[in-house]
Amino acid sequence: MILSFSTQINGKPTNFVSKIWVGVEYKFSEFRYKGNKLFNFPKEYILCGEKGLLTFQKPIPKLHTIREDKSNRWKAGTKIDFFINCRQKDMFRFAPVLPVVSIQKIEILWHSKIRSLEYSNLNKKRYNYLDVIVDDELLNVKSIEELAQNDGFDTIDDFFDYFNQDFYGKIIHWTDKRY
């Protein structure tokens, strides 16, 4: 199934193409050195370079994506087709097809109209105005920050600018990472 990714969010480049490539490269022997010999990169990687979709410095990897899934379509084993500009003339597959390794249920719950990342006065390991729950487990601040980074966001503020209201969905994993 197609997973479409944005190249910009709120006017800021996402660099998701590069981040996803860093996140999946261990799966491909083409990326591994044996002595002084480098194997060939897949054609999708070469095309991304030609289109200017790869960053020069190695980014922090994007290990998963968070999506709504009201019809419960995403499951372990489902094939992921990574695309940008989905359903447009310049639609582009930017990575090889990979299987979903696993999924996790995620809930982001805001307890106020206030959109602040203040720490709770009662527990400094939690935020004051929101909870993030993965597979029915409440995440602490450190785990939420890790989740945001592994989802490809540069900062926790960017993550919650995007997820700025209650959200129910899935984390779609193409690596072995879990929360």
Side-chain angles (χ1 to χ4, degrees):
M1 285 194 312
I2 290 176
L3 264 180
S4 182
F5 292 87
S6 300
T7 56
Q8 290 196 358
I9 293 178
N10 296 328
K12 181 180 173 185
T14 61
N15 296 315
F16 281 169
V17 171
S18 291
K19 291 174 181 181
I20 289 170
W21 269 103
V22 172
V24 300
E25 69 181 72
Y26 80 93
K27 288 182 171 274
F28 299 101
S29 63
E30 293 90 348
F31 293 93
R32 299 209 174 103
Y33 285 91
K34 284 191 176 178
N36 292 327
K37 183 179 178 187
L38 177 64
F39 292 92
N40 293 328
F41 285 88
K43 68 177 189 254
E44 291 90 350
Y45 186 88
I46 305 299
L47 291 172
C48 287
E50 290 172 358
K51 290 180 177 274
L53 295 170
L54 300 175
T55 57
F56 289 108
Q57 68 185 93
K58 191 171 186 175
I60 295 171
K62 179 171 173 60
L63 303 178
H64 50 65
T65 192
I66 298 172
R67 302 295 170 105
E68 279 189 351
D69 189 18
K70 292 179 182 175
S71 57
N72 201 30
R73 295 173 52 204
W74 290 102
K75 297 175 175 41
T78 302
K79 300 293 185 194
I80 304 170
D81 288 300
F82 295 90
F83 277 91
I84 57 171
N85 305 325
C86 194
R87 295 174 181 81
Q88 298 176 31
K89 258 173 103 171
D90 58 349
M91 184 172 170
F92 178 71
R93 180 193 312 268
F94 66 87
V97 175
L98 295 175
V100 173
V101 174
S102 68
I103 56 104
Q104 290 184 285
K105 182 175 80 171
I106 184 169
E107 301 172 67
I108 299 172
L109 306 173
W110 290 89
H111 304 300
S112 168
K113 291 185 183 206
I114 298 170
R115 296 299 183 253
S116 170
L117 297 180
E118 291 176 22
Y119 296 116
S120 168
N121 292 330
L122 302 174
N123 182 348
K124 297 295 182 198
K125 293 182 179 182
R126 295 199 42 209
Y127 289 116
N128 203 29
Y129 299 108
L130 73 119
D131 287 325
V132 177
I133 302 163
V134 174
D135 287 343
D136 300 320
E137 295 289 327
L138 182 65
L139 297 186
N140 62 35
V141 169
K142 185 177 178 180
S143 295
I144 295 169
E145 290 170 352
E146 180 186 14
L147 172 81
Q149 184 178 56
N150 290 338
D151 201 49
F153 288 88
D154 293 328
T155 68
I156 193 74
D157 290 319
D158 290 345
F159 182 77
F160 285 117
D161 282 347
Y162 188 79
F163 292 103
N164 60 7
Q165 54 189 315
D166 287 355
F167 177 86
Y168 302 88
K170 290 182 178 175
I171 305 171
I172 301 169
H173 295 276
W174 51 83
T175 70
D176 296 328
K177 178 66 183 161
R178 295 300 156 277
Y179 300 95

